[in-house]
Every structure is written in C-alpha cells, then in structure tokens.
Amino acid sequence: MNSGSVASEIRLLAAEWTIRANGGYLAQACGSAEIFATLYCDVLDLSPSTAPLIPPKFESVPNSFRNEIRGESWLGEGPDLFVLSPAHYGTTQYCALVAIGRLDKKALTSESGDGGLLELIAAEHSPGIVVSSGSLATALGVSVGRAMARKIKNIPGNIWVFLSDGELQEGATWESLQLASSQRLKNINIIVDVNGMQVDGRMAQLMPIEPIVDKFEAFGWNAIEIDGNNLEAIRIACLAAKNSNLPTAIICRTKPWLGFSFLKNRWDNNKLHFIRLTEDERQDLISEIKSL
Ligand SMILES: Cc1ncc(C[n+]2csc(CCOP(=O)(O)OP(=O)(O)O)c2C)c(N)n1
Ligand SMILES: [Mg+2]
C-alpha cells in the first residue's frame, strides 16, 4: 500500500460522505489524512481484521456478557494497537479502513445511518474504535492502563494513541501522561493532531496550550515536533518513537483545510469544526471531486 494514495483516498471518501449526509467532520479527515495513511501503511504492525468487510447491524454496546462485535476487531489481534481518542474523527478512521481494505466502501453508505455501526461520533462498537471517547480525553487513560498490563505480562508491540489538540485542554490527559512516564512505559506513543482549532474556534484564542513540546518533556515524555502533512516526516518520527526508551509524543502541526478549496475560506472564518455545506460549497466540492 502506498501512503500517498491512501491519504488522497481518505480525503475523497470523507468529502463524498459530507456531500451525502450534508454534514460531516471533513476538516478532521483532511488535516490528518497523512497521519492515518502513514500509520496504516508504514508503522502499525497489525494482524488481519477479524471483522466482516460489511459490519453487522447494531444490536447493543459490547459488554462481558454478550458477544457483540467490538470495533477493535477491525484492527486484528496485534501486536500493535491503534487507539483513536477524539470520537468525532470516526469518519476519518472508517475512510482509512476502506482505503486499506479492512472495510467495504459500501459500508460508508449502508452502515452510517440509524441502526448502523458507523456512528458520526464513534463508539466501541464502531469499526476501528477501541474505546468510546465521545466524552473527550478518556481513551488515553485506558490506553496507558493497557500499556501497563502489556508491560507486566511481557506482551510485545506498541500502543499508538491518536489525540486531538483540544484534548490537551483537558486535565485527564495530563494525569495519564504523568502515569505513563512514571511507569517508564516505552510501549505507548502518542500522535497529536495540532490543527489549531476546537469546537468553539481557535485554540490560541480560547485556551492556549503552547508550548506543547516543552510541556510533554516536562511530563517526562520524549517529544518530536513535525509537519503533520508530510508523509516522510511522520514515518521518520514514528520510527524514532518506536526506538525510544521513553514514551514518545509526536506533535503534528497540520492544516485542516488541505484538499478542497472551500475549506480555506471556512478556516479563515473559523467555521471548520463541523461542516454543513451551503449550496455553493456543495457545487464547488462536487466539481472539484469530478476534476480529481
Ligand atoms: C469532555 C468533553 N468536553 C467537551 C466536549 C465538546 N467538544 C466536542 S468536539 C470538541 C473540540 C475538541 O477539540 P478538537 O478535538 O481539537 O477539535 P477539532 O480540531 O476537531 O475542531 C469539544 C470541546 C466533549 N465532547 N467532551
Ligand atoms: Mg483540534
């Protein structure tokens, strides 16, 4: 698989979703397409999916008494585990799973409505999702716990956690980071999508979180800062994270408007978090997709 073509496919599928549903988290997919593509093509060591290409209908949330399918099944049985924390990036995860052949493209249409598993705000039963984290900043704590368990049981492999920059505004994140470094967990790494925005607008205006690198280092983590839309930079940073003796955070500076021209205008007007297309935007997007 070629990471460049997977990144383009993620953007295209997310754009088609947004047109179909007249709404979606398109900017999240456009900003992080290279991160997902590099992880799946060049970094994650995953065994084949144990889940069907077209997901079954939703019956109930997974628990210990029932045998409902878990989102984790689409990621196989290791040795690595990929934990997506911000649940509104679910669309990006589903599109990535289609692009790498773990989900059928038809699932994006047939399973994204009522009663389907492809929730807009993804949950534990949604393809590729390990932890329900619609209440943001909850998946990192679970992931650190799993990394501790793996260390105690000598289970090989790395846990890779995807965080959004908005989640750095939450206290639970920093408690989890502290626990990971105090336990010397080198089997967990974080990729942060620093796209500079959250639901109410710009990070810098609402509650600045800089200097991010210094903060991670102060919490005992190795921190690497890169251009998060550069495939090679992501690949090299992940390799360094794998070989580090400390838990590593890769701080990815991303551009959530990359891929479709109307997004830049929305960024300038601070309206990029959730996109409900105007008629003009819809027409522009359709003709841009046709010209690809
Ligand atoms: C604990 C919690 N607080 C607040 C929210 C409301 N919320 C939903 S999305 C979001 C933005 C979070 O920032 P980020 O993930 O960086 O947003 P994006 O870059 O996608 O705009 C917020 C605050 C939430 N889901 N959970
Ligand atoms: Mg953000």
Side-chain angles (χ1 to χ4, degrees), residues 88-122:
H88 61 289
Y89 280 67
T91 312
T92 315
Q93 175 73 315
Y94 312 144
C95 294
L97 292 176
V98 171
I100 62 164
R102 285 175 185 247
L103 262 187
D104 192 309
K105 188 177 171 185
K106 287 190 211 106
L108 297 180
T109 317
S110 63
E111 303 311 319
S112 60
D114 283 351
L117 294 193
L118 275 63
E119 311 260 17
L120 196 59
I121 302 296

Side-chain angles (χ1 to χ4, degrees), residues 144-187:
V144 170
R146 286 180 71 153
M148 281 175 71
R150 279 173 170 232
K151 185 180 173 188
I152 292 164
K153 294 180 177 172
N154 267 321
I155 296 174
N158 286 297
I159 299 185
W160 297 85
V161 185
F162 181 102
L163 291 188
S164 65
D165 50 359
E167 293 182 295
L168 301 184
Q169 292 177 326
E170 300 214 35
T173 298
W174 299 96
E175 183 180 347
S176 305
L177 293 175
Q178 208 159 243
L179 179 61
S181 58
S182 72
Q183 296 295 313
R184 300 184 197 290
L185 300 179
K186 59 176 185 177
N187 60 350

Side-chain angles (χ1 to χ4, degrees), residues 10-256:
I10 291 171
R11 284 196 177 89
L12 174 63
L13 292 169
E16 288 173 346
W17 172 306
T18 307
I19 293 168
R20 211 168 34 242
N22 190 22
Y25 291 102
L26 177 58
Q28 288 73 8
C30 287
S32 65
E34 281 76 21
I35 297 174
F36 279 76
T38 306
L39 283 173
Y40 281 120
C41 295
D42 303 323
V43 177
L44 295 170
D45 187 1
L46 300 178
S47 54
S49 164
T50 58
L53 285 169
I54 299 273
K57 288 285 169 207
F58 174 79
E59 298 223 352
S60 81
V61 291
N63 66 40
S64 347
F65 309 108
R66 294 208 179 106
N67 212 13
E68 260 80 40
I69 198 154
R70 287 177 182 273
E72 197 171 329
S73 314
W74 276 270
L75 303 175
E77 289 168 348
D80 282 358
L81 182 67
F82 175 49
V83 181
L84 175 72
S85 181
H88 61 289
Y89 280 67
T91 312
T92 315
Q93 175 73 315
Y94 312 144
C95 294
L97 292 176
V98 171
I100 62 164
R102 285 175 185 247
L103 262 187
D104 192 309
K105 188 177 171 185
K106 287 190 211 106
L108 297 180
T109 317
S110 63
E111 303 311 319
S112 60
D114 283 351
L117 294 193
L118 275 63
E119 311 260 17
L120 196 59
I121 302 296
E124 238 169 63
H125 50 267
S126 306
I129 303 301
V130 177
V131 183
S132 292
S133 185
S135 183
L136 295 169
T138 45
L140 182 59
V142 177
S143 305
V144 170
R146 286 180 71 153
M148 281 175 71
R150 279 173 170 232
K151 185 180 173 188
I152 292 164
K153 294 180 177 172
N154 267 321
I155 296 174
N158 286 297
I159 299 185
W160 297 85
V161 185
F162 181 102
L163 291 188
S164 65
D165 50 359
E167 293 182 295
L168 301 184
Q169 292 177 326
E170 300 214 35
T173 298
W174 299 96
E175 183 180 347
S176 305
L177 293 175
Q178 208 159 243
L179 179 61
S181 58
S182 72
Q183 296 295 313
R184 300 184 197 290
L185 300 179
K186 59 176 185 177
N187 60 350
I188 184 165
N189 298 308
I190 292 176
I191 313 234
V192 195
D193 179 6
V194 185
N195 62 8
M197 65 181 203
Q198 57 112 297
V199 67
D200 289 324
R202 299 286 161 84
M203 294 287 296
Q205 285 158 8
L206 295 162
M207 183 163 77
I209 47 162
E210 301 289 351
I212 303 177
V213 169
D214 293 355
K215 285 184 184 171
F216 270 97
E217 286 174 353
F219 274 69
W221 282 59
N222 176 33
I224 305 171
E225 184 172 12
I226 56 164
D227 170 355
N229 295 112
N230 181 321
L231 293 164
E232 189 57 5
I234 303 165
R235 197 184 62 77
I236 290 169
C238 289
L239 194 65
K242 234 179 192 172
N243 294 328
S244 166
N245 276 329
L246 291 174
T248 297
I250 304 173
I251 314 303
C252 295
R253 304 277 172 188
T254 61
K255 299 183 178 69

